[in-house]
Amino acid sequence: MRPTWDAYFLSIAIAVSARADCQRRRHGAVIVDRHNRVIATGYNGTPPGDERSCIAGDCPRARSDVEHNTGGYDDCIALHAEQNAVANAARDMRGGRIFVTGEPCGMCSKLVAAAGLTAVWPS
């Protein structure tokens, strides 16, 4: 039997999660447009070019006793699956700049880097 679109895309997200680089959770995400075309996928892991690995023990948050979904994400070296999917969907922005009114937080800095942007803020 042919799966519904929702079931189909969820099965893709589950397959994508197999690439996750996190000791605690494996998440996958799929972004689709209004025509049911896959735009981008993402899994939780470090931004492109970051050689550190949570599975290898490089993540301070994973080594801590902080519970899932309780904060402390600035200590995490990875982006969430949703963040990586959005960054991957932003491929046409690579090499661009994002102007912000203040220095981005740790999570936003990782997202900006994963999207291939350079953050510019007043000094």
Side-chain angles (χ1 to χ4, degrees):
M1 183 157 109
R2 191 173 191 194
T4 65
W5 283 114
D6 288 357
Y8 172 69
F9 293 129
L10 185 55
S11 70
I12 293 172
I14 291 167
V16 168
S17 73
R19 288 283 306 154
D21 181 34
C22 182
Q23 292 180 6
R24 294 177 176 223
R25 297 267 193 250
R26 293 172 103 54
H27 289 288
V30 177
I31 297 174
V32 298
D33 68 11
R34 65 180 186 268
H35 303 290
N36 289 322
R37 291 182 296 222
V38 174
I39 301 299
T41 63
Y43 51 85
N44 50 325
T46 55
D50 191 328
E51 299 300 321
R52 297 174 298 170
S53 167
C54 181
I55 291 174
D58 296 332
C59 183
R61 187 171 191 282
R63 291 190 309 260
S64 74
D65 59 358
V66 175
E67 292 187 31
H68 183 65
N69 279 341
T70 59
Y73 289 105
D74 282 347
D75 290 336
C76 178
I77 63 173
L79 288 168
H80 292 174
E82 303 89 339
Q83 293 169 312
N84 270 320
V86 169
N88 290 337
R91 284 187 286 265
D92 290 340
M93 295 189 304
R94 293 200 193 283
R97 297 177 294 163
I98 183 170
F99 292 82
V100 293
T101 57
E103 184 175 357
C105 70
M107 287 302 284
C108 288
S109 293
K110 289 183 274 188
L111 179 58
V112 166
L117 297 169
T118 300
V120 178
W121 63 88
S123 49

